[in-house]
Amino acid sequence: MGEEHPPQAVRQLGISNPPADPVFLYHQAGITRGVIVTDDTTSGINPLLSRRNFLRAGVLGAAGAGVAMYAGRQASNAVAAPGFVPTKSVDVHLAATDGWVSMPDASPADPPYWPDPLAPAPYNMYVFGFRNVTGLSDAQVIAQKGHAQISAPVLAFDEGTEVKIGLTNLGLAQRPDLVDGHTLHWHGFNNAIPIFDGVPEMSAAVPIGKTMIYYYRPTDPGTYMYHCHFEDVEHVQMGMTGLVYIRPKMNNGANRYVFNDAATRYDREFPVFVTENNPEGHYRDAHIQITDWAAYNSGFGLMNGRAWPDTIVTNPQTSDAALGQNFDPLATYPAGSDGERLQFQPQTSLIHVNAGETVLLRVANLGSSVHTLTMDGVSMHVIGSDALQLTGADGTDNSYITNSIDVGPGESRDVLFTAPDPGTYKLYDRDFYNLSNQGAAGYGGIMTNVVVEAPGTLPAQPLQPFTPGVR
């Protein structure tokens, strides 16, 4: 068995005396002790040789060897960047599991794939996903099994922050036969060592019932994405994708910037995370059938995990600045309400601003198609691409003004626009296929409203999103 150690884990996992430095610890839910990963950590798991088990066994064996070398070092020495002095430390706890969500009910049926006959009301599609369970007790974390959300929680950190993210694998409620591991991969992010990169062939995957602590020291502002990299074609399509914002150190209480450049100041920011889903693949995962992902054919284009008209639905009842107009996956909403139906797709895509404000769109694509977004009559200023400011080595400004934004799979754009005269405008995908739900007549898919109020109507936007656990 792995060597047993005194209670060591992050505070939010309910473990006493957390270490000052992150080490490779796994936490069995409900047991207040950790086990260093070794090549026999998975003893007791069904040894039946399958593609999934073979991959997991190989990865954990390799990870065990790497951890043995790492365990004697302090993390601050192992991954420190020269001259890096963290300004603060943030602990976040994510859980990976499966669940059910809702595509627009008025969409044409595609039997037997959609709506899924196994789906409990008011849902109609099976997904995998992440949940933010920071601050919950062990029992509360375990209770989130089977309650995944899409898109994954938006994470935001300041440049220079020491970030520790615990990832707990709760397993799959609908598919207990699947014993997939899960990982966190920050797409396009420079990690100091491969173990935190989340690519299982080069690091480690988290088995069911275990928690791994990922450690980051972000130094480059911009918009990133994160996703599970275990069985990544399947897990990404099933919904294990989200956004990461790294905010520049020159941010202050009065002004906000995209990069460490005064020319990148903005007043409000909004996530625009575009993906698609394939109802047949989601159905097959729920019904224990093999999916040929090479035959991928999307049925719904999604913005922040929803398809139009759900993209503009907001939570009118929240008074929590951390939620904004989003729904809360931990809340209880009235039966038949939008809150009940969209509880596990909590992120609205409604863009609500005052005329004359500078608005930041954090646009990213983790789908399988190139998406071209446009806003009729409104010019957009692309200042960042793939978490890099569009400036040359000599400081030349390479940003550009456009009326449409092309973003390919795995790419991100930081886009500013000046809010026009009061009214309602559309931000949408120019590909008509992505503007329908299951090919139905009328609008659907990747579209939202940009609602512009008279100057001074809306109060200042609280810094969004709020990532809890700052100490």
Short mmCIF file of all heavy atoms in Angstrom, two decimals, residues 331-370:
data_model
loop_
_atom_site.label_atom_id
_atom_site.label_comp_id
_atom_site.label_asym_id
_atom_site.label_seq_id
_atom_site.Cartn_x
_atom_site.Cartn_y
_atom_site.Cartn_z
N ALA A 331 -28.57 25.73 -5.06
CA ALA A 331 -29.85 26.24 -4.60
C ALA A 331 -30.99 25.28 -4.95
O ALA A 331 -30.82 24.33 -5.73
CB ALA A 331 -30.12 27.62 -5.20
N THR A 332 -32.15 25.54 -4.38
CA THR A 332 -33.37 24.81 -4.73
C THR A 332 -34.33 25.81 -5.37
O THR A 332 -34.66 26.84 -4.76
CB THR A 332 -34.02 24.19 -3.49
OG1 THR A 332 -33.11 23.27 -2.90
CG2 THR A 332 -35.31 23.46 -3.87
N TYR A 333 -34.78 25.52 -6.59
CA TYR A 333 -35.66 26.43 -7.32
C TYR A 333 -37.05 25.81 -7.46
O TYR A 333 -37.20 24.58 -7.44
CB TYR A 333 -35.06 26.72 -8.70
CG TYR A 333 -33.77 27.50 -8.63
CD1 TYR A 333 -32.54 26.86 -8.72
CD2 TYR A 333 -33.77 28.88 -8.46
CE1 TYR A 333 -31.35 27.57 -8.65
CE2 TYR A 333 -32.60 29.60 -8.38
CZ TYR A 333 -31.38 28.94 -8.47
OH TYR A 333 -30.21 29.66 -8.39
N PRO A 334 -38.07 26.63 -7.64
CA PRO A 334 -39.44 26.10 -7.76
C PRO A 334 -39.58 25.14 -8.95
O PRO A 334 -38.96 25.34 -10.00
CB PRO A 334 -40.28 27.37 -7.98
CG PRO A 334 -39.46 28.48 -7.40
CD PRO A 334 -38.03 28.10 -7.66
N ALA A 335 -40.37 24.13 -8.78
CA ALA A 335 -40.62 23.16 -9.85
C ALA A 335 -41.19 23.87 -11.07
O ALA A 335 -42.08 24.73 -10.95
CB ALA A 335 -41.58 22.08 -9.37
N GLY A 336 -40.66 23.54 -12.23
CA GLY A 336 -41.13 24.13 -13.47
C GLY A 336 -40.51 25.46 -13.81
O GLY A 336 -40.81 26.03 -14.87
N SER A 337 -39.64 25.99 -12.96
CA SER A 337 -39.03 27.30 -13.20
C SER A 337 -37.79 27.17 -14.06
O SER A 337 -37.22 26.08 -14.24
CB SER A 337 -38.66 27.95 -11.87
OG SER A 337 -37.60 27.24 -11.24
N ASP A 338 -37.34 28.32 -14.62
CA ASP A 338 -36.08 28.33 -15.35
C ASP A 338 -34.92 27.93 -14.45
O ASP A 338 -33.96 27.29 -14.89
CB ASP A 338 -35.81 29.72 -15.93
CG ASP A 338 -36.68 30.04 -17.13
OD1 ASP A 338 -37.10 29.09 -17.83
OD2 ASP A 338 -36.94 31.23 -17.39
N GLY A 339 -35.02 28.32 -13.18
CA GLY A 339 -33.96 27.97 -12.24
C GLY A 339 -33.79 26.48 -12.09
O GLY A 339 -32.67 25.96 -12.07
N GLU A 340 -34.90 25.75 -12.00
CA GLU A 340 -34.82 24.29 -11.90
C GLU A 340 -34.25 23.70 -13.18
O GLU A 340 -33.37 22.83 -13.14
CB GLU A 340 -36.20 23.71 -11.63
CG GLU A 340 -36.17 22.19 -11.46
CD GLU A 340 -37.55 21.56 -11.51
OE1 GLU A 340 -38.41 22.07 -12.26
OE2 GLU A 340 -37.76 20.55 -10.82
N ARG A 341 -34.69 24.18 -14.32
CA ARG A 341 -34.29 23.60 -15.60
C ARG A 341 -32.83 23.90 -15.95
O ARG A 341 -32.14 23.07 -16.54
CB ARG A 341 -35.22 24.12 -16.69
CG ARG A 341 -35.03 23.50 -18.06
CD ARG A 341 -36.12 23.95 -19.00
NE ARG A 341 -36.15 25.40 -19.15
CZ ARG A 341 -35.42 26.06 -20.05
NH1 ARG A 341 -34.62 25.41 -20.87
NH2 ARG A 341 -35.50 27.38 -20.14
N LEU A 342 -32.36 25.10 -15.57
CA LEU A 342 -31.01 25.54 -15.95
C LEU A 342 -30.04 25.60 -14.78
O LEU A 342 -28.97 26.18 -14.89
CB LEU A 342 -31.09 26.91 -16.62
CG LEU A 342 -31.90 26.97 -17.92
CD1 LEU A 342 -32.03 28.41 -18.41
CD2 LEU A 342 -31.27 26.09 -19.00
N GLN A 343 -30.41 24.98 -13.69
CA GLN A 343 -29.58 25.03 -12.49
C GLN A 343 -28.16 24.53 -12.73
O GLN A 343 -27.20 25.04 -12.15
CB GLN A 343 -30.25 24.19 -11.39
CG GLN A 343 -29.49 24.15 -10.07
CD GLN A 343 -30.30 23.47 -9.00
OE1 GLN A 343 -31.36 22.92 -9.26
NE2 GLN A 343 -29.81 23.50 -7.76
N PHE A 344 -28.02 23.53 -13.60
CA PHE A 344 -26.70 22.97 -13.86
C PHE A 344 -26.12 23.46 -15.18
O PHE A 344 -25.17 22.89 -15.71
CB PHE A 344 -26.77 21.44 -13.79
CG PHE A 344 -27.25 20.96 -12.45
CD1 PHE A 344 -28.48 20.32 -12.31
CD2 PHE A 344 -26.49 21.19 -11.31
CE1 PHE A 344 -28.92 19.92 -11.07
CE2 PHE A 344 -26.93 20.77 -10.07
CZ PHE A 344 -28.16 20.13 -9.94
N GLN A 345 -26.71 24.53 -15.68
CA GLN A 345 -26.13 25.37 -16.75
C GLN A 345 -26.23 26.81 -16.26
O GLN A 345 -26.95 27.62 -16.83
CB GLN A 345 -26.91 25.17 -18.06
CG GLN A 345 -26.85 23.74 -18.60
CD GLN A 345 -28.07 23.42 -19.46
OE1 GLN A 345 -29.13 23.06 -18.93
NE2 GLN A 345 -27.95 23.58 -20.76
N PRO A 346 -25.54 27.13 -15.19
CA PRO A 346 -25.85 28.34 -14.43
C PRO A 346 -25.45 29.66 -15.09
O PRO A 346 -25.97 30.71 -14.72
CB PRO A 346 -25.06 28.14 -13.13
CG PRO A 346 -23.92 27.24 -13.51
CD PRO A 346 -24.49 26.32 -14.55
N GLN A 347 -24.55 29.62 -16.09
CA GLN A 347 -23.96 30.85 -16.62
C GLN A 347 -24.82 31.47 -17.72
O GLN A 347 -24.98 30.89 -18.80
CB GLN A 347 -22.57 30.57 -17.18
CG GLN A 347 -21.87 31.76 -17.81
CD GLN A 347 -21.43 32.78 -16.80
OE1 GLN A 347 -20.69 32.47 -15.86
NE2 GLN A 347 -21.86 34.02 -16.97
N THR A 348 -25.40 32.64 -17.46
CA THR A 348 -26.11 33.35 -18.52
C THR A 348 -25.10 33.94 -19.50
O THR A 348 -23.94 34.18 -19.16
CB THR A 348 -26.98 34.48 -17.94
OG1 THR A 348 -27.71 35.08 -19.00
CG2 THR A 348 -26.15 35.54 -17.25
N SER A 349 -25.55 34.18 -20.73
CA SER A 349 -24.71 34.85 -21.73
C SER A 349 -25.22 36.25 -22.04
O SER A 349 -24.68 36.91 -22.93
CB SER A 349 -24.69 34.02 -23.03
OG SER A 349 -24.09 32.77 -22.81
N LEU A 350 -26.23 36.71 -21.32
CA LEU A 350 -26.74 38.06 -21.54
C LEU A 350 -25.65 39.08 -21.23
O LEU A 350 -25.01 39.03 -20.18
CB LEU A 350 -27.96 38.31 -20.65
CG LEU A 350 -28.59 39.70 -20.79
CD1 LEU A 350 -29.26 39.85 -22.15
CD2 LEU A 350 -29.58 39.95 -19.66
N ILE A 351 -25.46 40.01 -22.17
CA ILE A 351 -24.47 41.08 -22.00
C ILE A 351 -25.24 42.37 -21.75
O ILE A 351 -25.94 42.87 -22.63
CB ILE A 351 -23.56 41.18 -23.24
CG1 ILE A 351 -22.78 39.87 -23.42
CG2 ILE A 351 -22.61 42.37 -23.14
CD1 ILE A 351 -22.06 39.75 -24.74
N HIS A 352 -25.14 42.89 -20.53
CA HIS A 352 -25.95 44.02 -20.09
C HIS A 352 -25.02 45.16 -19.68
O HIS A 352 -24.23 45.02 -18.74
CB HIS A 352 -26.83 43.59 -18.91
CG HIS A 352 -28.01 44.46 -18.68
ND1 HIS A 352 -28.88 44.30 -17.62
CD2 HIS A 352 -28.51 45.53 -19.38
CE1 HIS A 352 -29.83 45.21 -17.67
NE2 HIS A 352 -29.63 45.97 -18.72
N VAL A 353 -25.08 46.28 -20.40
CA VAL A 353 -24.09 47.34 -20.24
C VAL A 353 -24.75 48.72 -20.34
O VAL A 353 -25.91 48.84 -20.74
CB VAL A 353 -22.98 47.22 -21.31
CG1 VAL A 353 -22.26 45.88 -21.19
CG2 VAL A 353 -23.56 47.37 -22.72
N ASN A 354 -23.98 49.74 -20.00
CA ASN A 354 -24.39 51.13 -20.21
C ASN A 354 -23.75 51.67 -21.48
O ASN A 354 -22.61 51.33 -21.81
CB ASN A 354 -23.95 52.01 -19.04
CG ASN A 354 -24.68 51.70 -17.75
OD1 ASN A 354 -25.87 51.41 -17.76
ND2 ASN A 354 -23.96 51.77 -16.64
N ALA A 355 -24.45 52.52 -22.18
CA ALA A 355 -23.91 53.15 -23.38
C ALA A 355 -22.61 53.88 -23.05
O ALA A 355 -22.49 54.52 -22.01
CB ALA A 355 -24.93 54.11 -23.98
N GLY A 356 -21.64 53.75 -23.94
CA GLY A 356 -20.36 54.43 -23.78
C GLY A 356 -19.33 53.66 -22.99
O GLY A 356 -18.15 54.05 -22.97
N GLU A 357 -19.72 52.58 -22.31
CA GLU A 357 -18.75 51.80 -21.53
C GLU A 357 -17.86 50.97 -22.44
O GLU A 357 -18.26 50.57 -23.55
CB GLU A 357 -19.47 50.88 -20.55
CG GLU A 357 -20.16 51.60 -19.41
CD GLU A 357 -20.82 50.65 -18.44
OE1 GLU A 357 -21.32 49.59 -18.87
OE2 GLU A 357 -20.87 50.99 -17.24
N THR A 358 -16.64 50.70 -21.97
CA THR A 358 -15.74 49.77 -22.65
C THR A 358 -15.98 48.38 -22.11
O THR A 358 -15.87 48.14 -20.90
CB THR A 358 -14.27 50.17 -22.44
OG1 THR A 358 -14.07 51.49 -22.95
CG2 THR A 358 -13.34 49.21 -23.17
N VAL A 359 -16.33 47.45 -23.00
CA VAL A 359 -16.76 46.12 -22.60
C VAL A 359 -15.74 45.10 -23.09
O VAL A 359 -15.30 45.14 -24.25
CB VAL A 359 -18.15 45.80 -23.18
CG1 VAL A 359 -18.63 44.43 -22.72
CG2 VAL A 359 -19.15 46.88 -22.78
N LEU A 360 -15.37 44.19 -22.21
CA LEU A 360 -14.44 43.10 -22.54
C LEU A 360 -15.21 41.80 -22.74
O LEU A 360 -15.96 41.38 -21.85
CB LEU A 360 -13.41 42.92 -21.42
CG LEU A 360 -12.54 41.66 -21.47
CD1 LEU A 360 -11.69 41.63 -22.74
CD2 LEU A 360 -11.66 41.56 -20.23
N LEU A 361 -15.04 41.18 -23.89
CA LEU A 361 -15.55 39.84 -24.15
C LEU A 361 -14.38 38.87 -24.09
O LEU A 361 -13.41 39.01 -24.85
CB LEU A 361 -16.22 39.75 -25.53
CG LEU A 361 -17.38 40.71 -25.79
CD1 LEU A 361 -17.92 40.49 -27.20
CD2 LEU A 361 -18.49 40.54 -24.76
N ARG A 362 -14.46 37.91 -23.20
CA ARG A 362 -13.44 36.86 -23.13
C ARG A 362 -13.97 35.67 -23.94
O ARG A 362 -14.74 34.86 -23.44
CB ARG A 362 -13.15 36.50 -21.68
CG ARG A 362 -12.49 37.65 -20.88
CD ARG A 362 -12.06 37.18 -19.52
NE ARG A 362 -11.46 38.22 -18.70
CZ ARG A 362 -10.16 38.47 -18.64
NH1 ARG A 362 -9.32 37.77 -19.40
NH2 ARG A 362 -9.69 39.41 -17.84
N VAL A 363 -13.56 35.62 -25.19
CA VAL A 363 -14.08 34.65 -26.15
C VAL A 363 -13.14 33.45 -26.22
O VAL A 363 -11.92 33.62 -26.36
CB VAL A 363 -14.23 35.29 -27.54
CG1 VAL A 363 -14.80 34.28 -28.53
CG2 VAL A 363 -15.09 36.55 -27.48
N ALA A 364 -13.70 32.25 -26.14
CA ALA A 364 -12.90 31.04 -26.27
C ALA A 364 -13.74 29.94 -26.90
O ALA A 364 -14.97 29.95 -26.82
CB ALA A 364 -12.37 30.59 -24.91
N ASN A 365 -13.05 28.99 -27.53
CA ASN A 365 -13.72 27.91 -28.26
C ASN A 365 -13.06 26.59 -27.88
O ASN A 365 -11.87 26.38 -28.15
CB ASN A 365 -13.59 28.16 -29.77
CG ASN A 365 -14.18 27.03 -30.62
OD1 ASN A 365 -14.76 26.08 -30.11
ND2 ASN A 365 -14.00 27.13 -31.94
N LEU A 366 -13.82 25.70 -27.25
CA LEU A 366 -13.35 24.33 -27.03
C LEU A 366 -14.32 23.34 -27.67
O LEU A 366 -14.54 22.25 -27.16
CB LEU A 366 -13.17 24.03 -25.55
CG LEU A 366 -11.73 24.21 -25.03
CD1 LEU A 366 -11.64 23.87 -23.54
CD2 LEU A 366 -10.74 23.36 -25.81
N GLY A 367 -14.88 23.75 -28.80
CA GLY A 367 -15.69 22.85 -29.60
C GLY A 367 -14.84 22.15 -30.64
O GLY A 367 -13.62 22.09 -30.55
N SER A 368 -15.48 21.67 -31.67
CA SER A 368 -14.80 20.95 -32.75
C SER A 368 -14.84 21.69 -34.07
O SER A 368 -14.37 21.17 -35.08
CB SER A 368 -15.43 19.55 -32.93
OG SER A 368 -15.30 18.79 -31.74
N SER A 369 -15.39 22.90 -34.08
CA SER A 369 -15.54 23.67 -35.32
C SER A 369 -15.01 25.08 -35.11
O SER A 369 -14.98 25.59 -33.99
CB SER A 369 -17.02 23.75 -35.73
OG SER A 369 -17.61 22.47 -35.84
N VAL A 370 -14.63 25.71 -36.20
CA VAL A 370 -14.30 27.13 -36.17
C VAL A 370 -15.60 27.92 -36.04
O VAL A 370 -16.60 27.61 -36.70
CB VAL A 370 -13.55 27.56 -37.44
CG1 VAL A 370 -13.33 29.07 -37.46
CG2 VAL A 370 -12.22 26.83 -37.55
#
